[in-house]
Amino acid sequence: MSTAHHRKKQPALVRQQLLEVAARLAASDGMAAVTLDAVSAASSVSKGGLLHHFPTKNALLDALFESLLDRFDADIEELMRGDPLPQGRFTRAYLEAVSGLRDRPDDSRSWTQVTIALLAEPRLRLRWRQWVQARAEEYVGTDSSLDAQIVRFAADGLWFADTLESHDINDALRRNLIDRLVELTGK
C-alpha cells in the first residue's frame, strides 16, 4: 500500500530540488541535457510532480535562469553592503561578482550554460536586458558615468572570456586588470 498520500507535501523544497538538478545537468552535460524526463529521473520526482512545478521545459529553464539571477543579485547586494563608497558601488560589486564566478565552480558551470543559452534564447536575452536596465535605472546617480559603463562592459568581456576559456590570464595579470577597473569606478 502506498504511503504517498500520507507524506507531508513540501512544494518549495521540491521546486528547489528540481532547479538544483536542472542546474547540475546543465553544468555537466549542457543545456540540451536538461529535459523534463532527465530532471524527473535525476531528482526522483515523478514527471507529474515535475510538471506541477514546471509545465514545460521553457518554464523550467526560465525558472533556472531566474534562480541564478536571484543568487547573482544577492551576491551583488552583499558586496555592495561591504563597500563604504557610494560612487561606483554597484559597478564594483558587479565586477567582483562576475570576476568571482570563476572561483566558484558550481556557479561558474551553471552560468556558463546559461550564458550560452542567453545567446540562443530571445526570451532569456530579454530578461537579462530587463535586469541590466533595471539596475542602470536604480543606480543612475552613482553608476552612470562613462567610466562605470566601461567597467561593466569590461566585466562582461571578462565573463565571456571566462565562459569560453579563451584567454590565458595568469592570476597576477587578472588581479591587476580588476584593480585597474576598480580604479575607474571612482571617477
Side-chain angles (χ1 to χ4, degrees), residues 6-186:
H6 295 290
R7 282 185 301 203
K8 183 176 180 179
K9 305 290 183 195
Q10 296 179 317
L13 291 176
V14 172
R15 186 178 195 283
Q16 186 58 40
Q17 175 190 0
L18 292 167
L19 289 173
E20 289 170 6
V21 167
R24 257 194 329 270
L25 286 170
S28 65
D29 302 324
M31 291 301 274
V34 182
T35 65
L36 296 177
D37 288 332
V39 172
S40 173
S43 65
S44 300
V45 173
S46 70
K47 190 160 181 188
L50 170 65
L51 292 171
H52 171 76
H53 294 281
F54 307 107
T56 65
K57 179 179 176 178
N58 282 344
L60 176 62
L61 295 179
D62 290 346
L64 175 59
F65 181 74
E66 287 298 324
S67 173
L68 289 169
L69 198 52
D70 287 347
R71 285 201 324 248
F72 189 61
D73 255 336
D75 288 347
I76 289 173
E77 289 296 323
E78 182 178 333
L79 290 164
M80 288 177 64
R81 277 191 297 279
D83 185 341
L85 303 173
Q87 188 65 34
R89 181 182 292 147
F90 169 76
T91 299
R92 284 188 297 280
Y94 181 82
L95 172 62
E96 191 65 31
V98 166
S99 64
L101 285 173
R102 181 185 79 150
D103 300 324
R104 295 188 315 268
D106 289 343
D107 285 346
S108 180
R109 283 190 297 273
S110 296
W111 270 109
T112 294
Q113 293 305 320
V114 169
T115 302
I116 292 166
L118 275 169
L119 299 174
E121 295 292 335
R123 72 186 187 291
L124 294 181
R125 279 197 312 272
L126 174 62
R127 180 61 187 99
W128 177 251
R129 179 180 171 81
Q130 291 167 339
W131 183 89
V132 168
Q133 282 185 298
R135 295 313 165 278
E137 291 169 10
E138 185 175 356
Y139 300 107
V140 71
T142 58
D143 290 82
S144 58
S145 72
L146 180 60
D147 285 336
Q149 292 177 32
I150 288 169
V151 170
R152 289 191 303 274
F153 280 123
D156 290 345
L158 184 60
W159 185 348
F160 198 63
D162 286 347
T163 296
L164 296 177
E165 298 176 347
S166 60
H167 293 73
D168 262 341
I169 302 174
N170 67 44
D171 288 341
L173 177 58
R174 184 183 180 91
R175 188 71 251 161
N176 287 338
L177 173 67
I178 292 168
D179 289 346
R180 178 66 181 109
L181 291 170
V182 167
E183 287 177 23
L184 288 175
T185 65

